[in-house]
Amino acid sequence: MTDASDQWEQGHERRTETVSAPYGPLALTGTHWLADYPDGRIPDIPGSWAADGDAVVPTADTADGPTVDGRPLDGRVRLEADTGPVESARVALGGRRLVVLVREGVWGVRDHRSVPGRFAPYGESRTGRVPNADGRSRGLALAGERVFELGGERRTLKAARQPDGRLWAVFAESTSGDGGFRFRFLYAEAPDAEGLTTVDFNRAQLPPCAFADHFVCPFPPPGNTLGLAIPAGERTLL
């Protein structure tokens, strides 16, 4: 018979799979209403964006990077609201999808993003002692580092490898414990033959010990606290 703890954990895993799908609810990192940006400059989104009657008009050149319908944007284009799934949004920026929306005549842009990265395995597994949520220190076996660029800087996260090849990292960031839980888990599919993987903070999730004190969760190992805010993914209990 499955006990209540196992049932809760299975239910939590199913819920996490749903909300942390590549463009599920946790993929949203910001909703920007154009009325709040009269100069057309949305933070961290290249080009200029303006509402024009029944459409949004972004203006950019190929150096800025956005694509529309798979082609580089060089100039300006009129966009109606995206009504389909996020992955079919007309505007992309690398792994990001910029969704045009309108609510009661007010136009906006939603930003869904992920970060490309590479897994650099250690020559052999390294085990470090880290504090756990129950106050004890335990060994955490680390297989390598996920290397990526974020905020204009090279970043790394020490990661464990699960039996199925997936990667798992325990990390914190500048808002951890202040507006968000003190640390989170980040999973990723197994890297390909060249070590390529995706560092998708949209899939960051609260550890089980955020929901119940009876779970034992490791804290982030040294070096896994990022010096910037990560607003994506699960951050706090509702």
Side-chain angles (χ1 to χ4, degrees):
M1 177 180 293
T2 302
D3 62 26
S5 177
D6 289 338
Q7 291 177 353
W8 180 92
E9 190 161 4
Q10 291 170 7
H12 176 62
E13 289 177 354
R14 289 193 297 269
R15 181 183 68 86
T16 298
E17 289 176 358
T18 299
V19 300
S20 64
Y23 291 106
L26 295 182
L28 181 62
T29 63
T31 297
H32 306 282
W33 300 107
L34 298 185
D36 294 334
Y37 305 98
D39 63 355
R41 301 294 179 178
I42 302 175
D44 201 28
I45 296 180
S48 177
W49 297 74
D52 185 14
D54 60 353
V56 164
V57 180
T59 303
D61 57 41
T62 54
D64 290 325
T67 62
V68 177
D69 300 329
R71 296 184 296 274
L73 176 58
D74 188 10
R76 49 189 281 141
V77 65
R78 292 182 65 85
L79 300 173
E80 297 179 348
D82 290 300
T83 57
V86 173
E87 55 265 30
S88 66
R90 296 183 64 190
V91 184
L93 186 64
R96 297 160 67 178
R97 295 295 181 270
L98 304 179
V99 176
V100 174
L101 73 155
V102 61
R103 295 289 186 274
E104 297 182 339
V106 180
W107 290 88
V109 177
R110 280 183 169 154
D111 187 3
H112 304 252
R113 69 176 69 190
S114 62
V115 180
R118 181 179 297 275
F119 180 63
Y122 298 138
E124 57 184 26
S125 180
R126 302 177 184 177
T127 300
R129 304 292 293 184
V130 297
N132 281 220
D134 63 352
R136 299 182 180 181
S137 291
R138 295 182 176 86
L140 178 63
L142 300 169
E145 296 181 355
R146 296 166 70 178
V147 183
F148 56 100
E149 184 175 313
L150 189 64
E153 296 184 14
R154 180 182 181 272
R155 316 273 180 177
T156 62
L157 285 177
K158 297 181 177 73
R161 191 191 291 271
Q162 297 185 296
D164 62 2
R166 291 196 307 157
L167 302 175
W168 169 57
V170 188
F171 79 99
E173 36 90 8
S174 64
T175 66
S176 296
D178 181 15
F181 194 69
R182 53 187 169 175
F183 62 92
R184 291 183 281 170
F185 288 174
L186 184 64
Y187 294 93
E189 297 302 319
D192 66 16
E194 297 180 353
L196 298 179
T197 184
T198 298
V199 182
D200 192 352
F201 287 105
N202 303 319
R203 298 187 175 211
Q205 59 185 260
L206 295 174
C209 57
F211 299 88
D213 293 337
H214 304 293
F215 289 98
V216 177
C217 302
F219 288 7
N224 273 24
T225 298
L226 302 173
L228 77 172
I230 305 293
E234 286 186 331
R235 301 182 66 244
T236 186
L237 295 176
L238 298 178

